[in-house]
Amino acid sequence: IIEMASGSAALSVVAVAMAAALLALCGSTEAHTQFGAYNKTCPQAEDIVFKEMTAVVAKSPGLAGSLLRLFSVDCFVGGCEGSILLDSTTNNTAEKDSPLNKGLRGYDVIDSIKAKLEAACPGVVSCADVLALAARDSVRITKGPYIPVPTGREDGNRSSAADVTPNTPKPDASITGLITFFGKFNLTAKDLAVLSGAHTIGKAHCSAFSTRLYNFTASNNISDPTLDANYTATLRGQCAAGDLATLVDLDPNSGTTFDLGYYRGVAASMGLLSTDGALLLNEDTRAYVTCQANATAPAEFFADFAASFINMSKIGVLSHHKGQIRRHCSAVNPLSASSQAPVTMGAHAAVLLASSFVSIVALALVL
Ligand code: HEM
């Protein structure tokens, strides 16, 4: 009887230990990314992305900005889970086909990098991570900072054009509206000032700012008085009234180099978008713009940008098999293909599984 009692007590202890271990393993809802998540499963992944991006930007410098923007749009609409890359289907209009996203470029670059990764390590690297890595490489290649972006994101299955408008700041958003918008994603006013610095590279269509040039008020041909007059004249030269398609550098000083030119432009009333100029209308964001505009070196901006980029890269991340590793970035995996993310066991999970194993051995010995 005593032997049986001690046996069942041991059984209870072991059962509780196993349950706790498994609950900790399966019940965690925290999304998990880490720096170098592919170090073991696809060690060459980050090198492949960097090599491809270097070649792409050497050929088409404008694509650096496009890839950086693509990542931010992905993160703000439904999280950094690659939904912007999905094509529409007969039953679904995807995010990329929202009228607000018509100007996005660079999908083919992601598809071709993904093809290289699939050839090297089939089914391992998510499209969400390809996008995150391509964006951070865009910054590095244009002479900005190297950003140690965590990886291990999984890909989502949902992409709906209806999600775009509520998750895209309006072109004429006020500074308060922008701060509130960023706040929804746990990003601060400083993150807003810092991430807007991404506009140091890339271009905008005339359509994105033409109301500032021609019909800012009800009476025709009145321009935005907060825009520098000479800059307005230059922009009118680049974007004739009614021209919505021409592309103009967001940073009037140095549009292909990741530097302080954007802040110098904004501080001098030459922020191209109304939302760039709006940074001057809040004490904190204005202080950041002024500080960087007057800085002699970009070190502080670079460190801040790396930190804010990583903050943004954590929005709505899928992990723990809540997503999948898409084989092609433009379509969810067919049901027949493995739609599960491969098990990439972190040290934490390994310890928990090992403790379960020890518990089972102990149970066997007791019995
Ligand atoms: C504050 C909120 C933001 C607003 C309102 C905004 C708005 C815009 C708009 C309207 C364009 C021009 C699109 C076009 O005409 O094709 C643009 C371009 C761009 N945005 Fe933003 N953006 C914001 C935040 C960001 C963030 C957080 C990033 C990245 C970290 C970013 C990176 C870029 C880049 C690099 C471009 C140039 C794209 C290209 O050359 O193809 N933006 N943005």
Side-chain angles (χ1 to χ4, degrees), residues 9-21 359 363:
L11 185 65
S12 307
V13 170
V14 168
V16 168
M18 284 180 69
S359 304
L363 177 62

Side-chain angles (χ1 to χ4, degrees), residues 3 46 92 107 110 151 234 237 265 295 317 348 359:
E3 199 176 86
E46 299 198 17
N92 180 57
Y107 298 110
I110 297 298
T151 46
T234 307
V317 165
H348 181 58
S359 304

